[in-house]
Amino acid sequence: MRLVLLGPPGAGKGTQGVLLAERYGIPQISTGDILRDHVQRGTRLGIQARSYMDRGEYVPDGVVVSMVMDRLEEPDADHGFILDGFPRTVAQAEALERALEETEEPLTAVLKFSVGGELAVRRLLGRYTCPTCGRTYHMEFKPPAEDEVCDVCGSTLERRADDDELTARRRLAVYREQASPLERFYAERDLLHQIDAEALPDEVVDRTMGVLEALP
Ligand code: AP5
């Protein structure tokens, strides 16, 4: 299974990616997570990426493409992968297509999770993440048992630097600028499947499984 997850910030790509990765035993590769790891470690790539991420803008294609190509060469991606947040531009999609042509292992499907803008903002503003184990919570939709404490490892939960309202809305606007050509790219290849993601996570997984099980 080689999947791409598309959708606006807050659509639930990360949430669905984790659940699908567990179900299929393949890695979820989140470009946002990889970039945040570089930022936290203060690598050259992280320093370069940070200014874009803090503004809610996309990191330049060249940086992201080579980062993903390196990640896809790791052995755990040999039997499939779930790309969460990549590609986001047609240039990234073309680079991925060329790389997969070389291995003769094309994408299985591209899943686009759809949510309205105001619900997406509500999801982003309420999100908390565990800095230790990476689990994601939501103050309204998936609260931890104890306020701002991870249920699993007990760490203090954090908010993402780009989840303030101004940056969240900028991220949504940037997404809207790039989304149509990217979706057209995959629709022309008969790979694009749209999933209504305005439901609880388990219901969205069921909808996703319905799409995947119906694939030829
Ligand atoms: P990234 O980290 O990928 O952020 P994003 O695309 O903005 O998406 P999010 O992670 O915010 O949302 P999500 O859809 O994963 O939602 P989640 O499941 O967490 O990228 C960050 C930045 O990195 C970008 O802005 C850019 O600068 C850079 N970048 C990354 N990739 C790049 C690329 N390819 N090219 C260039 N730049 C790149 O859910 C959100 C919240 O809602 C959570 O609290 C969750 O618990 C809750 N929730 C999820 N699903 C549901 C549901 N069904 N019902 C109720 N609550 C739900």
Side-chain angles (χ1 to χ4, degrees), residues 192-205:
L192 187 68
H193 302 267
Q194 184 151 318
I195 294 162
D196 177 357
E198 292 199 359
L200 289 173
D202 287 347
E203 170 61 24
V204 181
V205 172

Side-chain angles (χ1 to χ4, degrees), residues 162-176:
D162 58 351
D163 274 348
D164 64 284
E165 182 158 4
L166 199 68
T167 316
R169 290 192 185 279
R170 178 65 195 141
R171 284 158 58 203
L172 277 164
V174 170
Y175 168 81
R176 287 195 198 103

Side-chain angles (χ1 to χ4, degrees), residues 8-15 31-33 35-36 52-53 56-59 64 84-88 92 123-124 127-128 136-138 141-142 160 162 171 197 199-201 204:
K13 303 180 295 297
T15 303
T31 41
D33 285 348
L35 288 166
R36 276 185 291 279
Y52 296 95
M53 296 171 80
E57 308 282 338
Y58 286 171
V59 174
V64 182
D84 159 9
F86 179 93
R88 289 189 201 220
Q92 293 180 14
R123 287 186 183 174
L124 296 175
R127 171 167 54 191
Y128 281 79
T136 297
Y137 296 85
H138 192 281
F141 304 123
K142 192 188 166 197
R160 259 172 55 177
D162 58 351
R171 284 158 58 203
L200 289 173
V204 181

Side-chain angles (χ1 to χ4, degrees), residues 44-60:
R44 223 170 73 175
L45 193 157
I47 292 165
Q48 194 182 356
R50 183 175 191 159
S51 60
Y52 296 95
M53 296 171 80
D54 284 350
R55 292 198 307 270
E57 308 282 338
Y58 286 171
V59 174

